Amino acid sequence: YLDVAGGNSANGTNIWVYQGNNSKAQKFKLTSTKPYEIINQGTYTIKSVLDLNKVVDVEGGETASGTNIQLWDSNNSGAQKFNIVPVREGWYKIVNAASKKALDVKWGTKASGVNVWIYDDNESDAQLWRFYKSGSYYFIKNKLGYYLDVSGGVADNGTNIQVYYGNSSKAQKFKLESTTYSNNNGLNVYYVTTKAGLILRNSPSTYGSRITTMPYGSEIQVSSIANGWASCTYNGYRGY
């Protein structure tokens, strides 16, 4: 039987196997640990549980790397829409739909209280996030070890967004709400979510000639959807 040597509970006590004796040294409690959540790839607004009318926002709707991330009233702008895209092993990047810049821990600094901004998408640890379920909400943890956090737990316009020690507070709870994003051409932006990719055809039929295959995770711009077929543009190609 699995056994704690000598029934000793001190750090460093050896674990071995021993003849069964029904002692406490051979009794163990199994505690289930809930893993990170799998998020459907798509476009979302990220709402703060402190006030569900307030969302994660790119300050001023700017698109340059280094633009700050803050809390702001929900206004349906591209500054408040983020593409959540799987990268590897349950880690996701969170990319602003308008700027194509990723949510990033400033300078990749591994410490509590570090600012969050947008930066060129590079899939570094500073840009990788996991989602942990808490009821209907999520804690969002960066790969550097800290959690997305509304500074001071203050639900005001302009409150800074940072990373901070995990504390299970409302300042670290967010609601993901699925949305769509239209670019300046009025086209809705979607992403390929099938692992095998999607075939782009020259007509809205499975008999249509193949133009190309759009890989998993690819961005496509959709002008209309009818009878299950989307008229779309991908990487300069137009088709269905």
Side-chain angles (χ1 to χ4, degrees), residues 74-88:
S74 180
N75 57 29
N76 200 40
S77 70
Q80 300 179 350
K81 296 183 178 185
F82 295 87
N83 303 319
I84 297 179
V85 182
V87 178
R88 57 183 176 272

Side-chain angles (χ1 to χ4, degrees), residues 33-181:
T33 56
K34 186 172 177 58
Y36 52 82
E37 294 292 322
I38 301 300
I39 305 298
N40 291 328
Q41 180 174 335
T43 305
Y44 296 85
T45 54
I46 304 173
K47 297 186 171 186
S48 172
V49 171
L50 293 167
D51 181 346
L52 291 175
N53 293 314
K54 297 246 180 337
V55 302
V56 174
D57 174 277
V58 179
E59 186 174 348
E62 297 292 332
T63 59
S65 284
T67 301
N68 195 45
I69 295 294
Q70 62 181 4
L71 199 66
W72 201 265
D73 287 332
S74 180
N75 57 29
N76 200 40
S77 70
Q80 300 179 350
K81 296 183 178 185
F82 295 87
N83 303 319
I84 297 179
V85 182
V87 178
R88 57 183 176 272
E89 298 173 348
W91 295 105
Y92 294 78
K93 57 184 177 181
I94 303 174
V95 180
N96 178 244
S99 67
K100 309 306 180 191
K101 301 290 197 303
L103 219 61
D104 179 282
V105 177
K106 188 174 181 178
W107 303 131
T109 303
K110 191 175 182 180
S112 184
V114 176
N115 193 38
V116 174
W117 59 9
I118 55 170
Y119 204 80
D120 290 335
D121 181 1
N122 56 36
E123 296 185 7
S124 66
D125 286 356
Q127 296 184 358
L128 297 181
W129 308 83
R130 276 180 176 170
F131 297 80
Y132 295 86
K133 200 75 177 289
S134 176
S136 301
Y137 309 112
Y138 295 92
F139 296 111
I140 304 175
K141 186 178 183 181
N142 183 261
K143 197 172 183 182
L144 296 174
Y146 300 91
Y147 289 79
L148 197 68
D149 180 280
V150 178
S151 183
V154 178
D156 288 342
N157 282 339
T159 298
N160 196 45
I161 301 293
Q162 60 183 3
V163 289
Y164 202 77
Y165 292 113
N167 56 30
S168 301
S169 69
K170 287 185 177 181
Q172 297 183 352
K173 283 185 180 181
F174 298 90
K175 180 179 181 180
L176 301 181
E177 187 167 281
S178 183
T179 186
T180 58
Y181 172 69

Side-chain angles (χ1 to χ4, degrees), residues 215-227:
Y216 173 73
S218 298
E219 177 181 301
I220 57 177
Q221 299 177 348
V222 176
S223 58
S224 63
I225 300 176
N227 300 319

